[in-house]
């Protein structure tokens, strides 16, 4: 049996450092919200492989669907000899996407690919080229996606030049004093000083910023962006790759604002751990590119589509949207309790089960504590809890437990979190007695 240390030494020789690891913990097996490493140690998983496992590790229904498909065929390529599961999954997603306008769906393999395709479709439809994105946003690691992404290091620096005609607006973050008004003042100025709105193909926004720090867009922002897009013939793209598939208590986070985006990008939790991404959109926009202009060899693979159909069944049968709301309430109330003991927790925020705490020095929003955040992730790992950080200033812990997690594991996870916080931050009460 290999140890984590042995595997880490091999990894350092064989795999480039550009692919980072949160923990030097090598997974051996996993089930629902638990994971065991190669040394037999058990972890509670509050990361879900970056939001991929809303239905948990190896959900029996998803595993059965994949096994059944494995017995039939693993690959045909939808562009060569199509198969029903792709069509059936598209039909279901078209019905689930918000708004009354008829929809169509294309499947791809990764989130970045979904974003690339959404931009291609918007450009073809509008015959325009510029795209507006948001500061702090994250859209993937391909060249178009890093151009859209609003965080320089480590995503953009050294990889330029970026795609031309990409502009960024401020994303409202109440904790940092950035308002919806700031965003529209910047947009107004952008249209006056930098780009004619008639050249703008798309505005792309995460309804809840993921990598950027788990900030939810105020509903007013999304509604006003919808109006701007309608006024200028711009395609509104909601990037729901991290916020979608029940995570926020609705199928898509954008539903909290009541708007209908033109295109929605999906990935991560769509197929319970099998790579699958897609773009769902208004049918007339989706049909703009000519035959052959979209697709991909592995895009919408039969294994992924079978898993995707099973994931939708699980979301319905286990009422995971409601469960997301319950998990969100539990987590945010526990974190607010911890905030009293640990002044380093500057803010606790959530939309459903997309929960975060921001760690700061001296209780000041403008003093991010990236060191402490890093230390907490490592300490939690030592206590048997997988945590993930995020944020433009790398000072946010995001909580992404599977929506299928049991109450007992949730509670145990928070106990481990408290132990880790005690270790690296020393609670107020702990200091008084220590
Ligand atoms: C909002 C958002 N868009 C796009 C991506 C890129 O997805 P992938 O890593 O599958 O390419 C991510 C990944 O974290 C994401 O959170």
């Amino acid at each position: 049996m290999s140890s984590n240390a042995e595997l880490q030494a091999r990894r350092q020789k064989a795999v480039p450092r550009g692919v980072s690891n949160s923990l030097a913990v090598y997974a051996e097996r996993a089930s629902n919200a638990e994971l065991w490493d190669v040394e037999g140690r058990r972890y509670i998983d509050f990361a879900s492989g970056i939001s991929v496992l809303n239905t948990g590790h190896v959900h029996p229904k998803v595993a059965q669907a994949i096994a059944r498909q494995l017995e039939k065929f693993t690959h045909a390529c939808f562009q060569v000899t199509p198969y029903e599961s792709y069509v059936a999954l598209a039909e279901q997603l078209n019905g689930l996407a918000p708004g009354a306008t008829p929809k169509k769906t294309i499947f791809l393999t990764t989130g970045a690919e979904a974003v690339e395709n959404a931009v291609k479709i918007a450009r073809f439809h509008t015959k325009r080229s510029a795209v507006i994105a948001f500061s702090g946003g994250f859209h993937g690691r391909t060249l178009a996606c890093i151009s859209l992404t609003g965080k320089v290091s480590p995503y953009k620096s050294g990889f330029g030049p970026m795609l031309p005609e990409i502009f960024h607006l401020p994303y409202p973050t109440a904790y940092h004093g950035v308002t919806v008004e700031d965003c529209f003042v910047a947009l107004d100025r952008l249209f006056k000083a930098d780009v004619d709105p008639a050249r703008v193909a798309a505005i792309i926004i995460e309804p809840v910023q993921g990598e950027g720090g788990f900030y939810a867009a105020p509903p007013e922002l999304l509604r006003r962006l919808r109006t701007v897009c309608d006024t200028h013939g711009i395609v509104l793209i909601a990037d729901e790759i991290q916020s979608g598939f029940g995570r926020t208590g609705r199928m898509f986070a954008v539903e909290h604002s009541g708007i209908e985006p033109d295109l929605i990008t999906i990935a991560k939790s769509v197929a319970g751990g099998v790579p699958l991404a897609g773009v769902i959109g208004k049918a007339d926009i989706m049909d703009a590119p000519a035959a052959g202009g979209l697709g991909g060899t592995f895009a919408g693979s039969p294994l992924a589509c079978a898993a995707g159909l099973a994931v939708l069944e699980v979301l319905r049968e286990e009422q995971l949207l409601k469960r997301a709301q319950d998990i969100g309430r539990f987590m945010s109330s526990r974190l607010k309790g911890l905030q009293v003991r640990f002044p380093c927790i500057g803010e606790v925020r959530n939309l459903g089960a997309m929960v975060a705490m921001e760690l700061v020095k001296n209780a000041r929003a403008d003093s991010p504590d990236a060191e402490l955040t890093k230390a907490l992730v490592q300490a939690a790992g030592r206590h048997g809890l997988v945590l993930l950080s995020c944020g433009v200033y790398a000072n946010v812990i995001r909580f992404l437990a599977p929506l299928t997690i049991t109450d007992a594991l949730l509670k145990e996870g928070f106990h481990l979190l408290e132990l880790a916080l005690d270790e690296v931050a020393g609670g107020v009460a702990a200091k008084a007695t220590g």
Side-chain angles (χ1 to χ4, degrees), residues 414-429:
F414 266 79
H415 171 64
L416 300 177
L417 173 68
E418 198 165 346
L419 293 179
L421 269 167
D422 259 329
E423 190 183 315
V424 296
V428 168

Side-chain angles (χ1 to χ4, degrees), residues 192-217:
K192 295 262 184 319
D194 295 304
V195 62
D196 182 349
R199 283 197 61 77
V200 178
I203 297 179
I204 182 164
I205 183 165
E206 292 163 271
V208 185
Q209 280 194 337
E211 303 296 311
F214 274 34
Y215 300 101

Side-chain angles (χ1 to χ4, degrees), residues 77-283:
C77 187
F78 191 73
Q79 287 140 261
V80 182
T81 50
Y83 34 90
E84 184 181 351
S85 56
Y86 187 120
V87 180
L89 188 56
E91 285 168 346
Q92 287 202 36
L93 292 174
N94 295 338
L96 287 166
T101 317
K103 305 287 191 310
K104 288 194 174 182
T105 294
I106 177 176
F107 291 111
L108 304 140
T109 311
T110 64
E113 230 188 322
V115 170
E116 294 263 351
N117 277 271
V119 170
K120 279 171 64 181
I121 293 165
R123 281 184 163 181
F124 205 106
H125 170 74
T126 57
K127 313 268 181 285
R128 304 171 180 181
S129 47
V131 183
I132 297 173
F134 284 82
S135 173
F138 180 82
H139 299 288
R141 286 182 167 84
T142 58
L143 278 172
C145 291
I146 62 170
S147 307
L148 295 167
T149 286
K151 180 175 174 181
V152 173
S153 177
Y155 305 124
K156 295 163 89 104
S157 47
F159 296 122
M162 300 292 131
L163 227 58
E165 290 193 284
I166 307 268
F167 304 91
H168 289 89
L169 295 177
Y171 192 97
T173 50
Y175 185 53
H176 295 280
V178 183
T179 64
V180 171
E181 214 39 53
D182 291 334
C183 168
F184 285 96
V185 167
L187 181 64
D188 206 44
R189 179 148 183 91
L190 189 75
F191 285 165
K192 295 262 184 319
D194 295 304
V195 62
D196 182 349
R199 283 197 61 77
V200 178
I203 297 179
I204 182 164
I205 183 165
E206 292 163 271
V208 185
Q209 280 194 337
E211 303 296 311
F214 274 34
Y215 300 101
E220 184 201 349
L221 174 83
L222 294 169
R223 289 189 203 123
R224 285 176 66 181
L225 284 177
R226 180 67 275 174
T227 305
V228 167
C229 287
D230 290 341
T231 306
H232 297 290
I234 297 168
V235 172
L236 182 59
I237 305 172
D239 183 343
E240 294 264 10
I241 286 167
Q242 191 151 168
S243 58
F245 271 72
R247 174 55 53 186
T248 68
R250 310 292 289 263
M251 187 64 188
F252 298 104
V254 78
E255 291 172 42
H256 293 277
S257 69
I259 65 149
E260 180 178 6
D262 298 306
L263 303 177
I264 299 176
T265 52
I266 55 170
K268 292 199 185 279
S269 271
V270 178
V274 184
L276 182 64
V279 184
I280 312 169
K282 292 181 178 168

